[in-house]
Amino acid sequence: MIKSSIVFFLLLLFFGCSNKQTNDFPITETGILKRFENASDILPSWSKENTLTCQVNSEPDNLHPTNGNSSPRLEIFQYIHRTILYIDFANQQLIPGLVKSLPEISPDHLTYTYYLRDSIFWDDEKKLTSADIAFTAKVYKCPLTNAPQVRSYWNNVKDIILYSNDPMKFSIVMKKVNIQNTSFLTAFPVLEENFYDNKQVLSKYSFQQFDDSLFQAASFTDLKSWAAEYNNDRYGRIPEMINGLGMYKVDKWETGQYIVLKKKSSHWSRHSRDYHEASFPEKIIFKLNKDETSQSLQFQAQAVDASTNVSINNFIDLNSNQGFKKNYNSAMIATYNYTYLCFNEKPEEKKRGAFFNDILVRKALACLTPVDEIIKLQYKQFGSQSKRMISQVSPLKKEFNKSLKPVPFDVPKAVDLLNQAGWTDSDEDGILDKKINRKIIPLSIELNYIASSAEWKDIALFIKETMAKAGVQINPVGLDFKLFLEKAKEHDFDMMLGSWAVSGIDEDFTQLWHTSSWKNHGSNYSGFGNSFTDAIIDSLTLVTFDSVRNRLSHLLQKNIYDDQPYVFLYSSLRRNVIHKRFGNQMIFSEKPGVLYNMLKLLSINKGITMVDGATP
């Protein structure tokens, strides 16, 4: 009741102030986009094959439409699937995808009505209808599908309404108002009912049943049989069993080597006014290569056409090579992703050292973190292009609180704060200590990091070296990703070095910063928050007006800044390389950074011009 009252008060306060001019809040540049001019000459050494080969560092866990959890998988989905709504990467806004327009929204902001575009067909030539939308939603809601990592995003969907007089019309009914009631639809492929459920088993079950925690799904034979078939790994491994509305289909997958996407010979997008027979690569090949030396040699030999994950060392070396610069465009671009140090504010749960339950210690270690030097270590001479993070909101976003200032690197101030907190070097061994429960405890802190990257290790060792100057002993612990994540969710750590992948569209901060996400072992790893900050977050999920959202977001950022649960480090720089034999080159802050299907081979495409509205 108390929290609900705070939510109401915050909304009343900020909506009451919403008649002020929105220019009270300076807007930073959003939707960063860099364009490259098309090459004026086609060099003799350039291949005229309309196949684009991309170098990647990892491959998907699978390509099942719902049952998987890896970034490479989601990138490939950009080409083999389609979604109800798209993100316009160039302008950072939602636009219609498979539907004719953005939704008609009911006055209570709970019902969203859409109309599917005409002439969209599946590969079996069956027409896309609202029945496919309802089926898709039920797949995500069904408790028997192996997709727990995404099911929570569909928890707020109460029902899908179909209309017997119009198979192209549907309404999505939500349980509660949320800022992401439309934007979440950009992340999930639409599935074909006839392909995955030709007996229409899911149509027999309601959304209410799937929402009911007492519903015993496994006791229904037909539902259990359908789920066993749907969850089969072949729907994510065998090319002919991977089905989607995208322009490309999976042609080959040689595990550990490459994945080949082939443009469909007949696709519904042919009816688009922007379609041209010669446009878009005939094939997109994702070629796995983790070896930096081999990657460099491949670029020098023009054996690959593009990459968005070249190492910083390779990026620097390649750009000093005149032959490379003659054949490739390359650029770094700031992303919305960010790297951070996280403090465990509630160490007592796992009987961890009582370090970071004291705000003075958190603030001291923030003063001991040489953020500017870490950025230089990470990005060398390109460090000035990386945005230093000050709060949980990227400086690229319009809601970034510009009144917040970076915490300066200040060893004397850090030592003073630690002394105020009772940490002194009583035994003169060079490590600060404190008597806790009649026992002398050294300020010796474990720092968890993901061991798969040398860059993470370098940062952890650099932090160790720097903090030792103030008598703080840092013990870096490299972990594989699975164990790192398990310890984070179980709150079994002192301090951790991590990163978050973030989109440019409005965020729901519940997952990372709400106290409920600590209690249920979600992603609030630090244990930050109280009833007031929860109320701000809850209010932000209800707000669609920029002026009000900015004010609330500024308030949340200030509370996080003052509490110091993280040391926010830097926004990631994506290293992009694209061969000049392709035109229409654009790179974006939004992931995945480059839309390969928009590139056009210059030797067969003349007079190409750049267009806005860059989407999948």
Side-chain angles (χ1 to χ4, degrees):
M1 180 68 182
I2 293 175
K3 191 172 77 171
S4 298
S5 298
I6 299 174
V7 172
F8 177 77
F9 171 75
L10 288 168
L11 291 176
L12 181 64
L13 173 64
F14 290 119
F15 272 106
C17 298
S18 64
N19 58 344
K20 290 187 177 182
Q21 295 296 313
T22 57
N23 59 14
D24 287 348
F25 305 93
I27 295 178
T28 58
E29 184 179 8
T30 59
I32 282 187
L33 159 69
K34 180 175 179 61
R35 306 171 188 266
F36 289 108
E37 294 293 329
N38 294 343
S40 55
D41 296 312
I42 297 174
L43 302 184
S45 64
W46 292 359
S47 170
K48 294 181 174 58
E49 184 178 0
N50 196 14
T51 295
L52 184 120
T53 302
C54 318
Q55 177 269 318
V56 295
N57 293 339
S58 58
E59 64 182 338
D61 52 346
N62 65 57
L63 289 174
H64 193 284
T66 62
N67 303 357
N69 189 25
S70 64
S71 294
R73 176 174 172 273
L74 299 179
E75 181 173 0
I76 291 174
F77 277 14
Q78 299 269 359
Y79 311 109
I80 64 176
H81 289 293
R82 285 290 179 265
T83 54
I84 293 172
L85 299 177
Y86 299 157
I87 298 176
D88 178 348
F89 287 2
N91 299 300
Q92 275 305 295
Q93 60 187 17
L94 294 180
I95 59 173
L98 295 173
V99 291
K100 294 179 179 179
S101 62
L102 295 180
E104 299 170 0
I105 305 175
S106 63
D108 62 3
H109 284 256
L110 292 177
T111 302
Y112 298 77
T113 300
Y114 298 88
Y115 297 84
L116 289 169
R117 292 163 58 184
D118 296 321
S119 303
I120 298 180
F121 292 89
W122 296 97
D123 293 349
D124 59 10
E125 299 185 352
K126 294 188 182 302
K127 191 172 185 177
L128 171 70
T129 70
S130 57
D132 294 308
I133 306 299
F135 169 73
T136 298
K138 286 185 178 180
V139 169
Y140 284 108
K141 297 276 284 188
C142 179
L144 297 183
T145 56
N146 294 337
Q149 70 283 353
V150 295
R151 189 172 295 119
S152 61
Y153 291 95
W154 289 80
N155 283 344
N156 197 33
V157 176
K158 181 179 181 180
D159 202 358
I160 305 287
I161 299 174
L162 305 184
Y163 299 86
S164 58
N165 62 337
D166 188 349
M168 309 305 284
K169 179 182 178 181
F170 64 95
S171 296
I172 301 180
V173 183
M174 312 302 290
K175 298 175 186 174
K176 60 183 179 181
V177 177
N178 189 289
I179 189 69
Q180 294 189 329
N181 277 353
T182 52
S183 61
F184 88 103
L185 295 172
T186 64
F188 300 101
V190 171
L191 310 178
E192 182 184 10
E193 181 181 39
N194 184 66
F195 185 84
Y196 292 107
D197 186 12
N198 58 12
K199 295 181 180 178
Q200 298 184 328
V201 173
L202 290 194
S203 67
K204 303 172 187 176
Y205 297 88
S206 68
F207 285 87
Q208 290 71 31
Q209 286 176 296
F210 288 166
D211 269 333
D212 187 351
S213 60
L214 299 179
F215 177 63
Q216 301 294 318
S219 66
F220 293 86
T221 305
D222 59 345
L223 188 58
K224 186 177 179 180
S225 297
W226 171 83
E229 170 62 20
Y230 176 80
N231 290 328
N232 194 297
D233 192 52
R234 67 174 175 269
Y235 289 105
R237 284 283 169 183
I238 301 174
E240 55 267 29
M241 301 301 291
I242 299 172
N243 181 60
L245 280 171
M247 185 183 291
Y248 292 84
K249 64 179 180 180
V250 179
D251 187 48
K252 295 179 183 178
W253 185 352
E254 290 293 334
T255 303
Q257 298 183 53
Y258 58 80
I259 295 174
V260 179
L261 306 185
K262 185 176 181 181
K263 189 170 73 171
K264 295 173 181 176
S265 57
S266 178
H267 188 254
W268 55 267
S269 62
R270 285 175 175 269
H271 304 292
S272 168
R273 60 182 175 82
D274 299 320
Y275 188 90
H276 187 276
E277 281 296 327
S279 298
F280 319 113
E282 287 295 326
K283 292 181 181 179
I284 301 175
I285 302 174
F286 293 88
K287 187 174 183 180
L288 181 65
N289 187 349
K290 301 179 182 180
D291 184 76
E292 288 192 18
T293 301
S294 176
Q295 291 171 14
S296 180
L297 292 172
Q298 285 189 332
F299 278 112
Q300 292 179 48
Q302 302 183 64
V304 291
D305 298 300
S307 178
T308 59
N309 51 28
V310 176
S311 72
I312 183 64
N313 291 327
N314 259 358
F315 190 87
I316 293 171
D317 290 344
L318 287 170
N319 275 279
S320 65
N321 183 301
Q322 292 304 312
F324 170 83
K325 294 172 72 173
K326 179 176 64 176
N327 297 318
Y328 292 89
N329 288 317
S330 63
M332 287 191 186
I333 192 167
T335 70
Y336 300 103
N337 307 339
Y338 62 86
T339 301
Y340 61 87
L341 281 174
C342 174
F343 303 132
N344 186 343
E345 293 192 12
K346 299 178 180 179
E348 61 277 2
E349 180 171 306
K350 289 293 181 179
K351 295 183 172 59
R352 284 274 172 178
F355 307 129
F356 300 118
N357 52 351
D358 189 333
I359 191 172
L360 293 176
V361 177
R362 300 197 297 272
K363 288 186 175 295
L365 264 64
C367 292
L368 285 175
T369 306
V371 179
D372 292 333
E373 293 302 315
I374 289 173
I375 293 172
K376 290 178 184 177
L377 174 71
Q378 180 74 349
Y379 292 119
K380 312 297 191 292
Q381 63 263 42
F382 296 95
S384 61
Q385 296 183 38
S386 174
K387 300 287 186 181
R388 178 168 177 172
M389 295 292 294
I390 303 172
S391 73
Q392 84 283 10
V393 173
S394 168
L396 299 177
K397 288 190 167 187
K398 59 189 176 185
E399 64 184 84
F400 171 65
N401 188 344
K402 297 182 76 173
S403 71
L404 304 179
K405 304 302 177 186
V407 176
F409 179 67
D410 190 334
V411 176
K413 181 178 179 180
V415 172
D416 180 58
L417 288 169
L418 290 169
N419 291 163
Q420 289 181 48
W423 294 94
T424 59
D425 189 4
S426 63
D427 55 6
E428 299 184 348
D429 65 350
I431 301 173
L432 300 180
D433 55 66
K434 181 180 179 179
K435 183 177 284 188
I436 302 176
N437 296 327
R438 300 180 181 181
K439 185 178 181 181
I440 300 297
I441 303 296
L443 191 52
S444 181
I445 299 163
E446 285 187 0
L447 170 58
N448 291 355
Y449 68 93
I450 300 170
S452 59
S453 169
E455 294 171 346
W456 289 108
K457 183 178 181 179
D458 289 344
I459 294 173
L461 292 175
F462 187 49
I463 290 171
K464 173 183 178 178
E465 178 184 336
T466 305
M467 291 192 176
K469 298 174 183 178
V472 179
Q473 184 178 63
I474 299 296
N475 307 304
V477 180
L479 304 169
D480 66 63
F481 179 75
K482 183 179 180 181
L483 183 57
F484 176 88
L485 190 59
E486 285 177 0
K487 283 184 169 290
K489 288 188 173 183
E490 291 300 317
H491 316 145
D492 188 13
F493 68 96
D494 295 332
M495 186 164 67
M496 56 180 278
L497 176 64
S499 65
W500 289 120
V502 184
S503 173
I505 60 177
D506 290 339
E507 295 175 63
D508 179 352
F509 296 106
T510 303
Q511 180 186 4
L512 301 187
W513 299 104
H514 202 282
T515 58
S516 62
S517 291
W518 164 271
K519 295 171 185 174
N520 64 16
H521 296 275
S523 300
N524 181 359
Y525 302 142
S526 70
F528 166 82
N530 51 49
S531 60
F532 182 68
T533 56
D534 282 353
I536 300 172
I537 293 169
D538 292 339
S539 300
L540 279 164
T541 65
L542 308 176
V543 172
T544 56
F545 295 96
D546 280 351
S547 60
V548 179
R549 181 176 178 82
N550 286 348
R551 292 172 187 270
L552 284 168
S553 183
H554 285 193
L555 185 59
L556 178 62
Q557 290 173 63
K558 181 66 165 59
N559 274 266
I560 292 174
Y561 179 89
D562 289 342
D563 187 74
Q564 199 76 66
Y566 280 20
V567 179
F568 294 96
L569 299 178
Y570 57 86
S571 62
S572 304
L573 289 177
R574 188 178 292 115
R575 282 85 70 186
N576 305 274
V577 175
I578 312 174
H579 200 290
K580 292 180 180 179
R581 72 191 186 95
F582 289 95
N584 207 43
Q585 294 187 16
M586 292 180 276
I587 60 175
F588 310 95
S589 290
E590 189 69 55
K591 54 189 177 186
V594 177
L595 294 173
Y596 294 131
N597 61 311
M598 293 181 64
L599 299 177
K600 301 182 180 182
L601 186 66
L602 290 175
S603 57
I604 57 174
N605 287 279
K606 305 299 182 183
I608 297 172
T609 57
M610 297 291 183
V611 294
D612 287 325
T615 67

